[in-house]
């Protein structure tokens, strides 16, 4: 019999947590993103950020992590479908990685716009 109600809801969380755990264990880039995010949050705690600036930073961090998880899911799905080299499989993986790269560029720009001027001001520059 299938889970219903709260049981099903709670069980879905365990699947999600397992997906994050697997991504952490298997994907070096995800771990790098987490460490960078941790560093950005620590630095930001010492800066006078507005609520909107915090929201942009948090949105950028969690968006980056979510996109990296989706990229991993796409890569694993492609690997499942074909174990051999195929130009379309490579294309799918490259495009997914490109999406992560574009988002990473955006997060760096947002970080520079928000954090860099505050750091420079704090250092008297």
């Amino acid at each position: 019999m299938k889970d219903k109600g709260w049981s099903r809801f709670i069980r879905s969380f365990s699947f999600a947590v397992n997906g994050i755990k697997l991504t952490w264990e298997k994907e070096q880039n995800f771990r790098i993103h987490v460490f960078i995010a941790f560093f950005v949050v620590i630095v930001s705690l010492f800066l006078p950020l507005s609520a909107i600036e915090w929201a942009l930073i948090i949105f950028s961090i969690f968006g980056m992590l979510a996109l990296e998880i989706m990229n991993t899911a796409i890569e694993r799905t492609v690997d499942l479908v074909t174990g051999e080299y195929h130009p379309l499989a490579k294309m799918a993986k490259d495009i997914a990685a490109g999406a992560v790269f574009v988002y990473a560029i955006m997060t760096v720009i947002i970080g520079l716009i928000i954090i860099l001027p505050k750091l420079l001001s704090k250092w008297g520059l």
Side-chain angles (χ1 to χ4, degrees):
M1 185 171 201
K2 290 191 173 195
D3 291 338
K4 293 184 180 183
W6 283 107
S7 176
R8 181 178 181 182
F9 182 72
I10 291 169
R11 200 172 121 194
S12 69
F13 276 106
S14 70
F15 294 141
V17 169
N18 190 52
I20 295 167
K21 180 182 165 205
L22 288 169
T23 305
W24 173 265
E25 292 171 355
K26 305 290 183 185
E27 292 298 316
Q28 179 182 2
N29 286 346
F30 184 77
R31 292 189 300 272
I32 291 169
H33 289 301
V34 169
F35 287 126
I36 292 170
F38 181 75
F39 176 76
V40 167
V41 169
I42 295 300
V43 168
S44 297
L45 288 172
F46 294 98
L47 299 173
L49 299 181
S50 69
I52 291 174
E53 290 169 327
W54 270 111
L56 286 169
I57 289 170
I58 298 301
F59 183 81
S60 295
I61 288 170
F62 280 88
M64 185 78 254
L65 297 177
L67 196 54
E68 188 64 50
I69 291 168
M70 287 303 300
N71 179 51
T72 299
I74 290 168
E75 287 179 355
R76 296 302 177 270
T77 302
V78 169
D79 290 345
L80 176 66
V81 171
T82 178
E84 301 171 9
Y85 175 81
H86 192 284
L88 291 176
K90 180 182 180 341
M91 188 183 299
K93 287 180 165 189
D94 289 353
I95 290 168
V100 172
F101 186 60
V102 167
Y103 198 91
I105 291 169
M106 182 204 68
T107 62
V108 168
I109 292 169
I110 288 172
L112 290 174
I113 290 170
I114 294 172
I115 294 172
L116 187 60
K118 294 183 187 304
L119 280 176
L120 293 175
S121 174
K122 196 170 188 85
W123 293 332
L125 299 175

